[in-house]
Structures are given as C-alpha cells and as structure tokens.
Amino acid sequence: MSEPKISQAKALAIAQEVCQERGWPWLEPVRVEARAGVWVVRTNTQARGANARIMLSQEDGRLLEAVYLPR
C-alpha cells in the first residue's frame, strides 16, 4: 500500500471542519486511524455518546462518511 497523499494532520483539520459545518461538538480526546486507504477520525473516544466518526479518503481528503452518535 502506498503512502497517503493526505497527511494525518490534514485529515484532522478536514474532520474538524466537517464537525463545525454540521454543528457537532469537537471533543477531545480524538483518535485517527489508517485503514485501507481511509483515515478514520473519532472524537470523544473515552466517552460513550457525543462521538463523531469521520471517514476520509487518504488519496484526496474526500469525505466518505460522517456520523454523529449522540449516545
């Protein structure tokens, strides 16, 4: 598998923008994982609820999925 064209830092910035645009809270701690060409960004990882999960293409930063789990 090749190196991602979108850095982890850029993925975090894009994910934060997505949350802001949708009015979702951005709560720490945040975890970023790489999975088969996709960045998976999760917020509020130590709590149940108030979690956002943003999936972005590592190729171009395109939003693949955005989910907010209030509880």
Side-chain angles (χ1 to χ4, degrees):
M1 202 174 247
S2 63
E3 285 291 312
K5 292 182 181 176
I6 299 297
S7 70
Q8 182 174 334
K10 181 65 175 172
L12 267 172
I14 294 169
Q16 194 165 18
E17 281 180 29
V18 169
C19 286
Q20 185 176 16
E21 289 169 359
R22 295 174 185 222
W24 298 344
W26 181 266
L27 302 172
E28 299 284 342
V30 175
R31 182 175 37 196
V32 182
E33 299 173 348
R35 292 188 192 164
V38 175
W39 286 115
V40 180
V41 181
R42 297 174 188 262
T43 67
N44 200 25
T45 58
Q46 292 181 344
R48 217 176 186 178
N51 310 100
R53 184 181 70 224
I54 312 295
M55 298 176 74
L56 304 164
S57 166
Q58 289 181 344
E59 182 70 23
D60 56 12
R62 179 173 35 95
L63 179 63
L64 302 173
E65 180 178 86
V67 178
Y68 182 71
L69 307 165
R71 165 69 177 137

